[in-house]
Amino acid sequence: MLRSFVLLVGLSLFASHANAQLQWKEVEPGIWKATAGVPEKITLLSVANATPAKSALQQLPTAPFPLAKDEITSRVVDGKVYLKFPLVKEEELFGLGLNFKTVAQRGRVSQLHMDHYGGTDNGRTHAPVPFYVSSRGYGVLIDAARYITVYAGTAVRVDTKNPPELLDRNTNKNWDSSPYSDAVEILVPASGVDIYIFGGPTAMNAVQRYNLFNGGGYLPPKWGLGFTQRVPTLYSQSDILREANEFEAHNFPLDFIGVEPGWHSMAYPCTFEWDAKRFPDPKGFINSLLQKGIRANLWLNPYVSPTSSLYPKVKPFSGTHTVWNGIVTDFTIPEARNIFKEHFIKNHISLGVSGYKMDENDGYDKWLWPDVATFPSGTSAEQMRQIYGLQMQKMTDEWYRETNQRTYGLVRASNAGASNLPYVIYNDYYSHPDFITALVNSSFIGVLWTPEVRASKSAEEWVRRMQSVCFSPMAMLNAWADGTKPWSFPEVEKAVQEVATLRMRLLPYLYSTFAQYHFEGKPPFRSMNLVDGFAYAPQITAGKLDATLNPYEAKTKSDLKDQYMMGDNLLVAPVFAGEKSRKVYLPAGKWYDFYTGKLAGENQVITVQAELEKIPLFVRDGGLIPMVPARRQAPKAGEVLPLEVRVYGTAPGTFTLYDDDGTTFNFEKGAFSKVELKSANRSMSAPANGKPFGYDKKVTWTFMTK
């Protein structure tokens, strides 16, 4: 009897842990949600708290549920959720955090853990977003603020329907230590979780749905897309004003300037109060910058110094452990957020401060709060680590929204749901090639990343880094440590100034591309694997696109990490120091050299020679590139600029040129203009009456391809 009872109990326990088929509900067009177990109160999407862009989602192609539902399973075992999703042969996966070395993620194991990036793609990164995109045209999001482990086609189950070939290592040279796996398996250390699937039919459509579900991409103020210089740590207000004058003397673009830790009366931990010696007149200082057309962006980390007036107010709402002797505020508590809001509005925003650089909210286990810390809200230390940067982005964004002023800043920690938040990620890592890989990967996960410039070993490296940063979401020189200037290498000053000026000339194209991010969900800087006519798929090669892939070519194409698209029309192929030439993979259709208009190639790999003065740029056939004359600063509201439209190739082309006042959120209420540029008849449609439009209606058309 006893043995029978034990057997029955064992069978009952097995049944409770058995694979369960999830129940899927379509929550927005082409987006499905299912729940395993009992989800926690604090999740990534609950913190981001975005409103889906419903009308934009309805404009996307119809998408059926992209996977076999009976092959998606979940189990809740020992307070953890076990998930399994199917994979097919030749399917590639992208995303799973802000990776710096790899683009293709199939065959990798990642623990998605908020951290200061340590040089290895293991899941510990500044944006450990638990979202992956398939080359088959769908995406999967796990909405849990936990350290999530993802086995992306690495684990082989005994009950698999597609067992790998059995090989004898003794005699078969094709034996592989990582045999074929037909599943993505995910371990979520929580009692329950919400899962979302984003339909296609293309990988780009899945990314669009993800971004639009999270409110649509952020549209920065125009000044945020200009050039920014971050000054040395202990610069005073007079030092910074002198630096602004130097930029003017060198005729170098400058729209906003970064004020580093020395503005605080104490930093590491921070007071968030002005140092009276270095900044005796904060309001006068900011006004002096504004008179020059320059905004001020303040550095901070979130740890509150005992010498700050904030300290006694937020101490009851702070965790059990300090960081650098500063308390860690629990921002999940509304009262704590309100205390910070009052302080920041009074001491910064009301004076005219235009944004923040939010540092060190990402990690390093040895100095961040430990996982044994507790917080007054009951939010665990692990959850707090996953959401802290996201929470800081959300609350500061709300402060600026209340003033109807757009901001644009920097952050070291982000996560799922951040698409509509006004921050660009940066870090202390400094590999130029890996910076470009991160820029490519950012397009899969709804975040922005800048390959900032800090220092260089040579003039060649300096100009190459400056070229890359000028074709990124934020053109930034971060001189906090050594005081470098754009002209620090005089022998390449002209080349550096030319690429910075080119960025300013391209503002109509770039601003319209960010508007596309907001209204359509298309990332402004995007992986080639999101581009029609290129995206990795079986039977497509990196050389001639109609041949059969061999394994090496397939991996090269799916893991392409050193070129990307800026918007729909412009392909960017950075060159790194020491390179005399580089290969560029051109998608289907004809592509033309940006500078000369000459045909570069079609459906092939080309080799371009490295010219020090130019970053290789290519435009698709029929591509239109709207530009303005050279200028040092982004246009102000009410300015009307002459417009040149460059036309490449022979195919008829169109471009949607977007404009608004450039600073407020009035565009969300319809105060914007979208006009259609058409090369076939050299026309521009009429802007809407009474809506902001800062371009002359008489357009100069330049046909680059003769």
Side-chain angles (χ1 to χ4, degrees):
M1 276 301 284
L2 180 60
R3 289 181 62 189
S4 299
F5 175 75
V6 171
L7 181 60
L8 285 170
V9 171
L11 289 172
S12 175
L13 287 173
F14 177 80
S16 69
H17 294 169
N19 291 341
Q21 187 171 329
L22 295 164
Q23 301 300 308
W24 295 96
K25 178 182 178 182
E26 191 169 17
V27 292
E28 296 292 345
I31 303 174
W32 295 266
K33 176 182 177 182
T35 300
V38 181
E40 297 177 301
K41 180 181 178 182
I42 293 290
T43 72
L44 300 173
L45 296 191
S46 72
V47 172
N49 195 28
T51 301
K54 293 180 179 291
S55 60
L57 285 167
Q58 292 170 354
Q59 301 303 310
L60 293 176
T62 301
F65 193 86
L67 297 169
K69 293 182 180 179
D70 61 352
E71 294 184 23
I72 307 172
T73 61
S74 69
R75 292 183 295 155
V76 180
V77 182
D78 193 26
K80 301 176 183 177
V81 179
Y82 294 61
L83 299 169
K84 182 173 78 71
F85 300 87
L87 286 175
V88 300
K89 282 187 179 294
E90 308 300 338
E91 181 176 3
E92 191 50 87
L93 304 177
F94 307 101
L96 294 175
L98 186 66
N99 294 302
F100 286 75
K101 293 182 178 293
T102 57
V103 174
Q105 297 303 310
R106 185 166 184 169
R108 302 182 59 81
V109 179
S110 300
Q111 188 186 49
L112 300 176
H113 188 303
M114 180 64 67
D115 205 353
H116 178 98
Y117 183 71
T120 303
D121 284 0
N122 58 8
R124 297 182 73 118
T125 184
H126 303 277
V129 179
F131 178 63
Y132 69 84
V133 182
S134 167
S135 59
R136 291 179 60 207
Y138 67 87
V140 176
L141 172 68
I142 311 301
D143 184 22
R146 291 287 182 177
Y147 304 153
I148 298 171
T149 305
V150 181
Y151 301 88
T154 61
V156 182
R157 298 182 62 88
V158 173
D159 60 357
T160 178
K161 296 178 181 178
N162 303 289
E165 183 181 1
L166 180 63
L167 301 175
D168 184 348
R169 186 180 181 186
N170 291 326
T171 59
N172 195 320
K173 64 180 182 180
N174 293 321
W175 181 90
D176 190 346
S177 62
S178 301
Y180 169 74
S181 165
D182 64 354
V184 175
E185 296 196 75
I186 300 174
L187 179 63
V188 184
S191 58
V193 65
D194 288 327
I195 307 118
Y196 294 85
I197 288 182
F198 298 81
T202 67
M204 173 63 91
N205 292 149
V207 168
Q208 288 178 268
R209 290 186 207 276
Y210 171 80
N211 289 330
L212 293 170
F213 187 68
N214 292 304
Y218 190 73
L219 179 58
K222 288 181 181 178
W223 56 261
L225 298 178
F227 196 85
T228 178
Q229 166 94 345
R230 302 205 69 87
V231 299
T233 297
L234 295 180
Y235 261 30
S236 67
Q237 64 180 57
S238 58
D239 294 327
I240 295 171
L241 291 169
R242 183 182 67 250
E243 182 127 315
N245 290 335
E246 289 179 22
F247 269 74
E248 188 172 358
H250 282 263
N251 195 32
F252 201 92
L254 184 63
D255 267 291
F256 65 114
I257 204 158
V259 186
E260 288 293 303
W263 75 269
H264 294 263
S265 56
M266 178 182 185
Y268 293 86
C270 295
T271 58
F272 314 100
E273 295 161 347
W274 297 88
D275 181 86
K277 292 183 178 179
R278 286 185 289 270
F279 294 87
D281 181 14
K283 185 170 180 57
F285 159 65
I286 292 169
N287 284 340
S288 295
L289 285 179
L290 288 173
Q291 288 170 10
K292 296 176 177 291
I294 300 170
R295 310 280 178 142
N297 177 285
L298 302 184
W299 174 97
L300 60 89
N301 67 46
Y303 312 114
V304 184
S305 168
T307 65
S308 171
S309 64
L310 270 174
Y311 188 89
K313 299 176 183 177
V314 297
K315 187 175 181 182
F317 305 106
S318 299
T320 55
H321 290 66
T322 63
V323 176
W324 301 312
N325 293 318
I327 54 176
V328 183
T329 307
D330 187 341
F331 290 130
T332 67
I333 301 174
E335 293 93 327
R337 297 198 300 271
N338 287 335
I339 292 169
F340 260 73
K341 174 183 176 181
E342 180 182 354
H343 183 93
F344 275 52
I345 288 178
K346 176 183 177 182
N347 292 284
H348 316 150
I349 296 174
S350 67
L351 305 185
V353 169
S354 295
Y356 296 99
K357 171 187 175 183
M358 303 192 297
D359 205 358
E360 280 120 4
N361 47 16
D362 48 347
Y364 260 155
D365 292 347
K366 62 186 179 183
W367 55 254
L368 201 69
W369 65 86
D371 285 349
V372 298
T374 59
F375 290 85
S377 65
T379 303
S380 73
E382 175 184 347
Q383 292 171 303
M384 194 67 77
R385 183 154 178 176
Q386 296 293 79
I387 67 169
Y388 211 66
L390 191 62
Q391 184 78 75
M392 291 179 67
Q393 291 180 68
K394 180 65 177 178
M395 68 178 187
T396 50
D397 175 53
E398 289 175 347
W399 302 342
Y400 280 97
R401 283 182 177 273
E402 289 182 11
T403 67
N404 195 27
Q405 291 294 312
R406 280 180 262 171
T407 183
Y408 200 45
L410 293 154
V411 71
R412 278 266 289 270
S414 194
N415 219 315
S419 306
N420 196 31
L421 295 175
Y423 286 91
V424 179
I425 303 172
Y426 72 104
N427 70 4
D428 286 340
Y429 189 62
Y430 204 53
S431 164
H432 187 188
D434 292 357
F435 272 12
I436 302 305
T437 303
L439 184 55
V440 169
N441 280 320
S442 68
S443 65
F444 295 113
I445 58 174
V447 300
L448 301 173
W449 158 262
T450 176
E452 65 172 54
V453 183
R454 294 197 291 272
S456 293
K457 297 177 182 178
S458 67
E460 180 194 9
E461 181 188 354
W462 184 250
V463 73
R464 293 306 188 199
R465 286 184 178 273
M466 292 293 289
Q467 287 168 348
S468 293
V469 81
C470 286
F471 284 86
S472 83
M474 185 179 287
M476 177 173 68
L477 173 54
N478 191 359
W480 69 271
D482 51 17
T484 51
K485 309 288 192 294
W487 47 88
S488 287
F489 290 86
E491 60 269 46
V492 293
E493 179 180 353
K494 182 174 183 292
V496 169
Q497 185 176 45
E498 284 179 353
V499 74
T501 301
L502 177 57
R503 179 185 176 92
M504 302 304 293
R505 295 198 64 198
L506 286 168
L507 279 178
Y509 178 84
L510 185 57
Y511 197 58
S512 297
T513 294
F514 268 93
Q516 189 182 48
Y517 185 37
H518 177 76
F519 290 104
E520 300 177 34
K522 287 187 174 182
F525 298 85
R526 61 192 72 149
S527 166
M528 301 306 297
N529 278 289
L530 295 175
V531 177
D532 288 343
F534 184 90
Y536 167 79
Q539 309 306 313
I540 298 178
T541 69
K544 288 296 182 180
L545 299 183
D546 57 355
T548 301
L549 284 172
N550 64 50
Y552 175 77
E553 289 172 329
K555 191 63 177 174
T556 299
K557 193 166 196 298
S558 64
D559 205 43
L560 187 59
K561 55 189 178 183
D562 63 353
Q563 67 179 69
Y564 54 92
M565 294 294 295
M566 184 172 92
D568 288 334
N569 295 338
L570 198 58
L571 191 159
V572 185
V575 175
F576 307 118
E579 292 184 342
K580 303 302 181 184
S581 64
R582 65 151 295 162
K583 291 183 176 180
V584 180
Y585 292 68
L586 298 176
K590 292 182 172 66
W591 290 80
Y592 297 85
D593 181 272
F594 169 81
Y595 303 98
T596 66
K598 292 181 179 179
L599 178 66
E602 176 181 8
N603 290 15
Q604 67 188 95
V605 181
I606 63 171
T607 298
V608 297
Q609 301 304 309
E611 298 181 55
L612 184 63
E613 296 79 13
K614 295 178 181 178
I615 180 172
L617 302 172
F618 303 91
V619 185
R620 68 169 67 251
D621 192 13
L624 306 186
I625 307 292
M627 304 174 69
V628 292
R631 54 187 297 120
R632 288 189 61 242
Q633 293 177 329
K636 310 297 188 292
E639 278 192 80
V640 177
L641 305 180
L643 186 69
E644 175 193 0
V645 178
R646 291 191 179 182
V647 182
Y648 291 81
T650 58
T654 63
F655 184 87
T656 302
L657 178 65
Y658 173 88
D659 199 34
D660 59 27
D661 64 23
T663 58
T664 75
F665 289 97
N666 293 347
F667 72 93
E668 294 184 342
K669 300 176 182 178
F672 63 85
S673 285
K674 284 184 180 180
V675 302
E676 292 298 315
L677 301 169
K678 295 183 179 180
S679 62
N681 56 4
R682 305 186 187 192
S683 67
M684 179 175 73
S685 61
N689 288 330
K691 305 293 179 67
F693 188 70
Y695 303 106
D696 195 310
K697 297 175 184 178
K698 185 178 180 181
V699 176
T700 299
W701 294 84
T702 304
F703 287 79
M704 298 296 292
T705 307
K706 303 297 184 184

